[in-house]
Amino acid sequence: MRLTRLLLEDFRSYASAELHPEPGLTIVAGPNGAGKTNLLEAVFVAVTGRSHRAGSDAELVRHSRPFARVRLDLSDPQGVTARVELLVPAEDTPPEIRKRVTVNGLPRRASAIGDTVRVVLFRPEEMLLLVGAPSERRRFMDAILAQRHRAAARDLAELSRVLAQRNALLRAIRREEATPDGLSFWDEQLAVVGARVLAARLNLVAELAARIPALHDAVAPADEQGEQVRLSYADTLKNAWPERPAASGPAPPPDELEAAYRRRISEVREKELWNGVSLVGPHRDDLRVELAGREVATHASRGQQRTIILALKLAETDLLGADDAPTPIVLLDDVFSELDSDRSDRSLSLLLERGQVLVTMADLATLPAGRRGVTIWEVGEGRLSQAPRVA
Amino acid sequence: MSGLIAPVARLIEEFSKLPGVGRKTAQRLTYHMLRAPADEARGLASALVAVKEEVAYCSTCCNITDRGVDPCAFCADDRRDATRICVVEEPLDVLAIDRTGEYRGRYHVLHGAISPIDGIGPDQIRARELVARVAAGGVEEVILATNPNLEGEATAMYLADLLAPHVPMVSRIARGLPVGGDLEYADDVTLIRSLQGRRQVDLS
Ligand SMILES: [Zn+2]
């Protein structure tokens, strides 16, 4: 599905705005803070059900307005059209106005929107994906899982609920306000839901790993060609999972992982009671990336790291569009300013081969050479230009 | 609340303590009460006081009851099967189950579910009262009808452990497909749960 029209009403800084993206590349230009990212955020929220940067939904609503509305008009090459509409109430809106998303006028669960439209968001912060905290890499994996599989989205939500409850109980036990016998239920939930999330991530990493070498070489400059990039999943199970294969591969049956979690959870019992926090589970795991056998975070150059990150985002795009799923809309939030023009141009070409790309940029000079003649929408002071101009 | 006279500010303050009521809604309600006839305000005030002063808890099942009526109407009703106890989280759940007419046993109301985030552990719900009641004997079955979410499950598991030594059967209400629904629209968890809870076809 590609986006033919984006319509905003009282969303963030916009009273109203309308954008007609091109089938291929669309540029949104404007100074920092003008509201470019808000446009990408609107598309992202309408598709995934939540913002990548708002603390609460109410933040998405323009000041003193009752609700925000985002509408996506979509069509595919066969001429099938769809309309996705998201309504987000403000903090103090009467309870009759509830957050809801509709597809062609019919209410849908946010997790079901992935059947109609998908989206890849490339944030500038992701340029630090390989050197940043493990939480960034877990977020990268989980965003793909949540959009691809409804069951995974629910498992991730349930896992965070289980962990929140379990951590609250561990803290209460440490303060001697509760007894450890209440833990067994939450231990079991963590083992069962944790095993499902772990299995989903292991399968994802296997799929990413299979795609990375070719994508890496497609993005890499001549002197980086053929470098060995290896992805692996780092779990927290230690010796409690003796069946773990030497190299990362597809997930084993769930009971094997559940049993491993049960063993590991009981091993760390004392330590958890002391720390008052869950020490074992998918929330402590990491995606490990090696280049020519060495950790990229410490041994790869900035350029090499960026090549790998671009390959990961291309792999994300391919995986989200695999298995008859709708081809994702790619949203690039001012990422070219972080890349040399060679890598920019090659990765943009690769993304455009796959589908529709929306790019924000503060400085039009960062537009890769050879892209002159594209249409540019300008943003300033919470307003979007009425019509694009041709650069 | 600068610029507001004290009684108005105070009412806004009180309304905004209610669950789901934000500042703006509290203001709207306050100005509504200002415009309303005095009778309406007195009616609301006396209803609020009455709910605290005239409502008590049944010493047997912990459900709400009229002050002075203990045991409650459910517990006092001899036609109800006293060997079965259905355990629910809230008083409204009693009404929902009873409305079906399918169940004619007794009830026990926990007034909550175990939720460490909210500081609610076994001691903050009416679990001890239930165990004492069952341990006193005469009960054949306890039906755990807490909500089918994480907190309801945690509560059910906890109670099942405690009750097992005292009663021949502890059961959990089934989770499954909504009646009149279509299989293809059911979400995966509901489908999985209803497969797990399948039964032999009754040919009689
Ligand atoms: Zn009673």
Side-chain angles (χ1 to χ4, degrees):
Chain A
M1 277 284 183
R2 79 179 180 80
L3 184 62
T4 54
R5 181 157 76 147
L6 167 67
L7 217 61
L8 304 187
E9 192 183 324
D10 291 328
F11 185 90
R12 293 259 191 202
S13 50
Y14 296 95
S16 74
E18 186 168 345
L19 176 78
H20 301 257
E22 302 294 316
L25 178 63
T26 302
I27 307 277
V28 177
N32 286 322
K36 301 185 299 290
T37 303
N38 299 352
L39 292 173
L40 302 188
E41 182 184 33
V43 178
F44 187 81
V45 181
V47 175
T48 65
R50 60 177 180 271
S51 166
H52 64 290
R53 57 185 193 141
S56 73
D57 286 336
E59 280 176 38
L60 303 175
V61 185
R62 201 163 77 98
H63 180 65
S64 77
R65 302 300 300 167
F67 57 83
R69 198 198 305 268
V70 178
R71 199 172 94 193
L72 311 180
D73 287 346
L74 303 151
S75 77
D76 72 2
Q78 285 75 46
V80 179
T81 62
R83 171 171 294 179
V84 174
E85 192 172 284
L86 171 79
L87 195 92
V88 180
E91 194 86 66
D92 236 325
T93 297
E96 310 86 79
I97 301 181
R98 305 259 283 284
K99 181 179 181 180
R100 65 158 192 266
V101 57
T102 58
V103 177
N104 298 327
L106 298 171
R108 285 277 181 276
R109 285 166 200 268
S111 59
I113 305 302
D115 297 346
T116 305
V117 54
R118 293 182 176 196
V119 66
V120 171
L121 174 64
F122 195 171
R123 301 170 288 127
E125 299 82 30
E126 282 179 299
M127 287 297 173
L128 300 173
L129 189 63
L130 300 176
V131 292
S135 57
E136 283 294 316
R137 291 180 289 281
R138 289 194 296 269
R139 182 173 165 172
F140 169 74
M141 293 186 279
D142 293 347
I144 302 174
L145 291 175
Q147 257 193 97
R148 262 184 109 188
H149 310 289
R150 269 184 240 187
R154 202 184 32 238
D155 287 342
L156 287 164
E158 183 155 323
L159 177 66
S160 69
R161 183 90 186 144
V162 167
L163 286 168
Q165 290 283 21
R166 193 170 184 276
N167 288 341
L169 183 55
L170 286 168
R171 282 194 302 275
I173 295 167
R174 194 172 56 168
R175 290 193 307 264
E176 298 185 349
E177 290 164 8
T179 53
D181 51 331
L183 272 172
S184 60
F185 172 81
W186 302 107
D187 289 352
E188 183 59 17
Q189 293 297 312
L190 178 55
V192 172
V193 185
R196 288 207 295 266
V197 170
L198 174 56
R201 292 214 195 128
L202 287 170
N203 287 329
L204 173 67
V205 171
E207 286 182 284
L208 287 171
R211 285 170 161 79
I212 285 296
L215 292 171
H216 175 271
D217 285 355
V219 179
D223 60 324
E224 287 178 19
Q225 295 286 329
E227 283 175 343
Q228 286 293 316
V229 183
R230 193 171 151 270
L231 303 187
S232 59
Y233 188 82
D235 61 69
T236 42
L237 286 163
K238 305 211 167 164
N239 295 328
W241 185 19
E243 309 91 337
R244 183 195 292 106
S248 281
D255 50 343
E256 181 179 318
L257 297 175
E258 285 173 19
Y261 271 127
R262 285 187 197 102
R263 283 191 289 270
R264 188 69 193 140
I265 288 167
S266 73
E267 281 170 15
V268 297
R269 171 68 86 236
E270 290 298 312
K271 225 173 146 192
E272 284 190 328
L273 291 175
W274 179 259
N275 284 281
V277 63
S278 297
L279 297 173
V280 174
H283 63 298
R284 310 276 290 194
D285 295 352
D286 199 359
L287 170 65
R288 195 165 286 155
V289 186
E290 288 170 346
L291 184 70
R294 308 173 84 180
E295 284 285 338
V296 283
T298 45
H299 288 88
S301 71
R302 236 167 90 103
Q304 287 170 324
Q305 289 179 9
R306 307 235 140 141
T307 302
I308 294 170
I309 291 163
L310 289 165
L312 285 169
K313 295 305 284 186
L314 281 160
E316 175 180 356
T317 311
D318 287 345
L319 285 177
L320 284 177
D323 310 321
D324 291 331
T327 307
I329 301 164
V330 178
L331 311 171
L332 303 181
D333 191 8
D334 209 2
V335 291
F336 292 132
S337 59
E338 301 281 333
L339 294 169
D340 60 67
S341 68
D342 258 15
R343 279 192 190 81
S344 296
D345 204 28
R346 270 193 304 274
S347 49
L348 186 54
S349 296
L350 290 162
L351 289 169
L352 286 168
E353 279 169 22
R354 285 158 171 80
Q356 190 176 27
V357 182
L358 267 70
V359 181
T360 67
M361 45 181 61
D363 179 7
L364 280 174
T366 60
L367 183 66
R371 301 288 165 197
R372 309 287 173 223
V374 298
T375 51
I376 295 181
W377 295 71
E378 277 181 283
V379 174
E381 318 211 326
R383 296 167 69 91
L384 184 64
S385 53
Q386 290 295 309
R389 68 180 172 85
V390 176
Chain B
M1 289 262 86
S2 58
L4 284 179
I5 56 171
V8 173
R10 185 174 156 218
L11 188 55
I12 292 174
E13 198 60 45
E14 293 299 327
F15 274 135
S16 56
K17 287 179 190 164
L18 300 174
V21 177
R23 200 86 212 162
K24 263 190 213 160
T25 306
Q27 286 169 4
R28 237 187 338 259
L29 293 171
T30 301
Y31 287 108
H32 169 80
M33 290 317 297
L34 269 176
R35 282 190 301 270
D39 276 356
E40 197 174 311
R42 268 187 221 104
L44 178 63
S46 70
L48 286 172
V49 172
V51 84
K52 292 309 286 183
E53 288 183 350
E54 291 167 29
V55 173
Y57 295 94
C58 173
S59 59
T60 306
C61 70
C62 302
N63 198 358
I64 48 174
T65 179
D66 284 310
R67 186 162 294 273
V69 181
D70 187 16
C72 70
F74 287 103
C75 292
D77 186 347
D78 286 338
R79 291 163 305 176
R80 288 184 167 270
D81 181 356
T83 67
R84 268 173 240 289
I85 298 177
C86 178
V87 182
V88 297
E89 292 182 17
E90 302 294 343
L92 283 176
D93 300 337
V94 171
L95 300 182
I97 290 176
D98 219 63
R99 214 169 34 226
T100 65
E102 178 68 24
Y103 176 74
R104 298 295 289 165
R106 306 290 172 101
Y107 291 96
H108 188 91
V109 181
L110 297 167
H111 296 279
I114 292 175
S115 177
I117 296 175
D118 303 305
I120 298 175
D123 293 340
Q124 281 71 44
I125 58 175
R126 305 294 186 96
R128 217 173 316 165
E129 290 88 337
L130 173 65
V131 176
R133 187 178 166 194
V134 173
V139 181
E140 299 291 326
E141 180 183 5
V142 175
I143 302 162
L144 299 172
T146 50
N147 290 329
N149 54 24
L150 268 179
E151 294 73 22
E153 293 298 336
T155 309
M157 289 295 288
Y158 173 81
L159 293 175
D161 272 352
L162 282 186
L163 294 170
H166 305 294
V167 58
M169 177 149 127
V170 179
S171 58
R172 178 85 175 102
I173 49 165
R175 292 165 301 186
L177 296 162
V179 174
D182 263 325
L183 267 190
E184 67 168 310
Y185 293 119
D187 68 279
D188 306 353
V189 171
T190 306
L191 275 174
I192 290 167
R193 297 268 156 83
S194 48
L195 279 169
Q196 287 167 343
R198 69 188 184 276
R199 320 177 290 199
Q200 192 171 6
V201 177
D202 191 355
L203 295 172
S204 62

